[in-house]
Amino acid sequence: MILSMTGFGKSEKKNKDFTFSVEVKSLNNRFIDVTTKTPYNVSKYDKDIVSLVKKECLRGKIIVNVNISNNNEDSLSLNKNKLNAIMDLSKEISKQTKIDNNLLLSDIINFPNVYEEKKIIESISNKKLLISAVKDALKDLNNFRLIEGKNIKNDIDKKIKKIETILLSIKRKTKTNNTIEVKKLIKKVNNIVKNINNLDKDRLYQEVALSIEKKDINEEIVRLNSHIQIFKTCLKNKEHSGKKM
């Protein structure tokens, strides 16, 4: 079975409180390398996500993006104590460094815990929903990679058949060429040494045979044919054989 190294998958799961959107992207890599991009309030589940990805994907650089949206408009509440602490700290830093305070609203919102979810994301049910979304996104990714893999396999099959045809032609020409080469060498010797009868014919044919042997490519033909057969076996293998191929 051949899977493309590159692919994309996505999934969305939701309940009455939250919507979990997961996107998974795969890129070429010799080994397995998983990167997660999750909101801070579910980052504690990163190890679970990485473990799940490694079970489904043997190789590749896998990037998992998780986005969470709240389904309740009044779900956020301001953490006033946290906000006051941030403002006091900002004033203290400004006083100590003599730098004007230019803290923006967007900066404050990005501080962890400055606002709170009225519904707690870190619950068992929400974790199950998130993991389920990751599983479905990985399934979608592998379906994409499988389709691409079939296209790659078809292309490889065509190339292998072409190589086999050329290899067979080379093998036939090699057998013919050996006879031709012997005749050429003897003719050359005859042209150089006029009185061929004075030569040791056994010695002559021995030298000719050594010369022909140096040009012999039978070993390379056998080896290439062996590689082709192993490659074809890998193509039919239901296991992942990409690295071996």
Side-chain angles (χ1 to χ4, degrees):
M1 178 175 66
I2 292 184
L3 293 177
S4 171
M5 286 287 281
T6 58
F8 177 81
K10 63 180 180 179
S11 174
E12 185 176 283
K13 297 280 185 179
K14 59 184 174 181
N15 55 25
K16 62 184 180 68
D17 298 317
F18 301 103
T19 298
F20 295 92
S21 299
V22 179
E23 292 183 350
V24 184
K25 182 165 61 175
S26 173
L27 303 172
N28 290 333
N29 199 298
R30 289 179 62 195
F31 308 102
I32 182 70
D33 178 19
V34 184
T35 301
T36 59
K37 297 179 180 179
T38 57
Y40 75 91
N41 44 12
V42 292
S43 59
K44 61 188 292 185
Y45 303 137
D46 280 359
K47 288 184 178 179
D48 298 280
I49 294 172
V50 170
S51 177
L52 187 60
V53 171
K54 287 184 176 181
K55 286 180 182 178
E56 295 294 325
C57 305
L58 298 180
R59 295 170 64 205
K61 180 174 178 59
I62 314 296
I63 303 168
V64 183
N65 281 301
V66 177
N67 290 303
I68 303 171
S69 56
N70 206 303
N71 298 335
N72 299 308
E73 294 181 358
D74 59 344
S75 60
L76 301 179
S77 63
L78 179 65
N79 186 336
K80 294 181 180 180
N81 292 333
K82 182 74 174 181
L83 176 62
N84 291 333
I86 291 170
M87 298 305 296
D88 290 342
L89 180 62
S90 176
K91 290 175 183 178
E92 181 65 24
I93 293 173
S94 179
K95 183 179 178 181
Q96 292 292 329
T97 59
K98 308 297 183 184
I99 298 174
D100 291 337
N101 180 12
N102 59 350
L103 198 62
L104 301 175
L105 181 60
S106 58
D107 297 325
I108 297 172
I109 290 176
N110 285 325
F111 274 100
N113 304 323
V114 75
Y115 58 90
E116 297 174 338
E117 300 275 5
K118 289 185 178 179
K119 298 288 185 181
I120 301 173
I121 294 180
E122 296 94 329
S123 66
I124 294 175
S125 61
N126 284 328
K127 179 185 176 182
K128 287 181 178 179
L129 196 65
L130 170 61
I131 296 300
S132 177
V134 173
K135 285 181 178 179
D136 282 359
L138 287 171
K139 186 178 179 180
D140 192 39
L141 168 72
N142 283 332
N143 285 337
F144 183 99
R145 294 172 70 191
L146 185 61
I147 293 170
E148 288 294 306
K150 287 179 180 178
N151 294 331
I152 292 171
K153 180 182 181 299
N154 291 336
D155 184 60
I156 290 175
D157 280 333
K158 290 178 182 177
K159 285 179 169 62
I160 287 179
K161 287 178 182 177
K162 188 173 182 180
I163 292 171
E164 286 181 309
T165 301
I166 295 171
L167 188 60
L168 183 61
S169 175
I170 290 171
K171 192 174 181 180
R172 287 170 181 165
K173 288 181 179 179
T174 301
K175 290 181 179 179
T176 306
N177 284 350
N178 283 344
T179 305
I180 295 172
E181 285 294 325
V182 170
K183 291 179 179 179
K184 282 183 179 179
L185 284 170
I186 292 176
K187 187 177 180 181
K188 283 182 180 179
V189 172
N190 279 324
N191 290 333
I192 296 170
V193 182
K194 299 299 181 182
N195 190 2
I196 190 72
N197 294 324
N198 292 335
L199 288 176
D200 184 344
K201 288 187 177 181
D202 289 338
R203 177 64 177 169
L204 172 62
Y205 283 115
Q206 185 180 2
E207 291 298 326
V208 169
L210 287 171
S211 179
I212 294 296
E213 188 179 2
K214 289 178 182 178
K215 296 183 179 182
D216 183 53
I217 59 169
N218 184 64
E219 183 182 346
E220 284 73 18
I221 291 173
V222 171
R223 186 183 296 119
L224 181 52
N225 189 58
S226 175
H227 287 323
I228 289 171
Q229 299 310 315
I230 294 171
F231 210 91
K232 288 166 76 173
T233 301
C234 289
L235 282 174
K236 295 176 183 177
N237 197 337
K238 292 184 179 180
E239 299 298 324
H240 297 283
S241 304
K243 203 167 189 178
K244 184 176 181 180
M245 289 162 68

